[in-house]
Amino acid sequence: MDATAISSTELDVASLVIRLALGPMLVLHGLNKVQGGLAGTAGWFESLGLRPGWLHARVAAATEIGAGLIVTLGLLNGLGAMAFVGLMTVAALTDHRGKGYFIFKGGAEYVVLVGIVAVALAVLGPGRWSLDHALGWDLAGLGWGVIALVGGLAAAAGLLVTSYRPDATKTDA
């Protein structure tokens, strides 16, 4: 099949499937941080070098729940994708750092894939079955893909520069 022969309905379905895979997954990650106890999440973040842990536990949970919801609903599509990229970049450079690529060894395979798919969603758009479409907002295309990628990387860099203080005694394995 020629790429120009893909119907808008097929693209809308593809976008919806991606949104329904990514969005609820991130909402559940955020809810898990809250339901599992923010104190435990704060301690884990402190052990990763994200300081203060209590603040990052709350910011991460709120960002995951918020970004997951807006991606699921197809609202502010490019901005939701940007939040995904920022979250996944921080995870890759803290929790998965130095563990190789493959997830079964603790590597960044999963978070890299999620971030890349989020950028693709920013380019593709949320489709007809989205709040962006219902509101007449066109927050998709190549430009939004670049915004999601560069904005997410910049947000992650800002967070890491201001808050990432790993223990000097820990080494990357």
Side-chain angles (χ1 to χ4, degrees), residues 8-94:
S8 63
T9 298
E10 291 166 329
L11 292 173
D12 291 330
V13 169
S15 179
L16 180 63
V17 167
I18 293 168
R19 289 184 13 238
L20 293 179
L22 288 183
M25 174 272 304
L26 201 59
V27 169
L28 292 173
H29 271 265
L31 289 174
N32 186 55
K33 285 176 176 58
V34 174
Q35 292 170 344
L38 286 172
T41 302
W44 175 53
F45 279 178
E46 285 276 344
S47 76
L48 293 175
L50 291 169
R51 306 185 196 291
W54 66 266
L55 175 64
H56 289 285
R58 285 157 178 78
V59 169
T63 304
E64 288 174 352
I65 293 167
L69 285 173
I70 66 175
V71 165
T72 301
L73 298 171
L75 177 64
L76 302 170
N77 180 66
L79 298 179
M82 182 171 62
F84 268 75
V85 171
L87 288 161
M88 297 303 114
T89 301
V90 171
L93 296 175
T94 58

Side-chain angles (χ1 to χ4, degrees), residues 49-52 55-56 157-166:
L50 291 169
R51 306 185 196 291
L55 175 64
H56 289 285
L159 182 138
L160 293 170
V161 164
T162 60
S163 303
Y164 186 52
R165 305 288 179 263

Side-chain angles (χ1 to χ4, degrees), residues 91-105:
L93 296 175
T94 58
D95 190 26
H96 302 281
R97 183 180 187 156
K99 299 176 183 172
Y101 178 71
F102 296 105
I103 191 67
F104 64 87
K105 292 184 177 183

